[in-house]
Amino acid sequence: MMNSYNVYQRLLIAYGVQGWWPLLQRNSRPGYTQEGYHPGVYSLELTPNERFEIITGAILTQNTNWANVRRSLTTLLENCHLGPEFFCAAEHIDLAALIRSSGYYNQKAKKLKTTAGFFLARGAANETPPSRKELLAIWGIGPETADSILLYAFNQPVCVVDAYSMRIFNRLENRGSSEGGEWTYMGLQAKFKAELPVDVEVYNEFHALLVEHGKRYCTSKNQKCFKCPLKSECRFLAQNS
DNA sequence: GCCCAGGAGCATA
DNA sequence: TATGCTCATGGG
């Protein structure tokens, strides 16, 4: 069984640096791609507006394709509406219309207003990261969104786990009921923390690489295992081919 | 037409 | 604690 760091190294060689979290406010600037990614650039001094863009994106991308989220973020930026003041002041129906392309727009409008209220109330305290417990107490922020905000918006050394991570590691070990059950969020997060160097850049890339791997090869159905860069170590492939 | 996407909250048991 | 349901657009 490969440990997390071996998986990280293998995926980094296969896919290269991903440069999350994309910052649309900086797209097309030197070091940034048109999509706002910044591969290899990590010493970012985020402005409050950029931090809030990441927080907004983390909520909008819940169970949603990033391309749909990018449309919403672009619309918000073009209208100078991407900020906690606007989210709090806006009517629900207006905010929902602006984020329509992200799906779940009624739920997400409520989540954004609630979250904006939290960060607006903190004011200058937004220079320092909130606690995970504080984030989880906000309606609409669960484990993955909280950890994404801590890692990508506040550069805290927190590992992010998502549906792709669990699928990939369940398959690598082929964990099912006979293997002690599938990975849980907290269980896999503890494994990552134990096996990876404590490094914000590694955590940043690792989560992004797992998402890329899930999209390219480790898909829910019709896996493309024959070209998978992890296939030599994967017990799922060994037992399903 | 179907399935999926960088989840979370809530009801039910 | 553990499933199951709901939320919803847009691309393959």
Side-chain angles (χ1 to χ4, degrees), chain A residues 66-159:
Chain A
W66 180 255
N68 290 6
V69 176
R70 179 154 31 80
R71 288 190 190 89
S72 299
L73 292 174
T74 301
T75 301
L76 291 166
L77 284 170
E78 285 175 350
N79 293 286
C80 299
H81 286 157
L82 185 42
E85 296 87 358
F86 175 81
F87 285 7
C88 286
E91 294 294 330
H92 172 92
I93 190 172
D94 296 326
L95 183 56
L98 287 165
I99 61 169
R100 182 178 181 280
S101 66
S102 299
Y104 307 118
Y105 49 79
N106 281 315
Q107 282 199 351
K108 286 176 179 174
K110 181 181 173 185
K111 292 178 180 182
L112 289 178
K113 286 178 76 68
T114 308
T115 305
F118 171 81
F119 284 102
L120 199 56
R122 292 183 86 233
N126 287 331
E127 297 302 316
T128 58
S131 71
R132 190 174 195 268
K133 187 176 178 182
E134 284 179 301
L135 291 173
L136 289 175
I138 300 171
W139 189 91
I141 295 187
E144 183 185 341
T145 307
D147 291 334
S148 290
I149 290 171
L150 289 171
L151 176 60
Y152 291 106
F154 290 96
N155 294 312
Q156 296 302 293
V158 175
C159 291

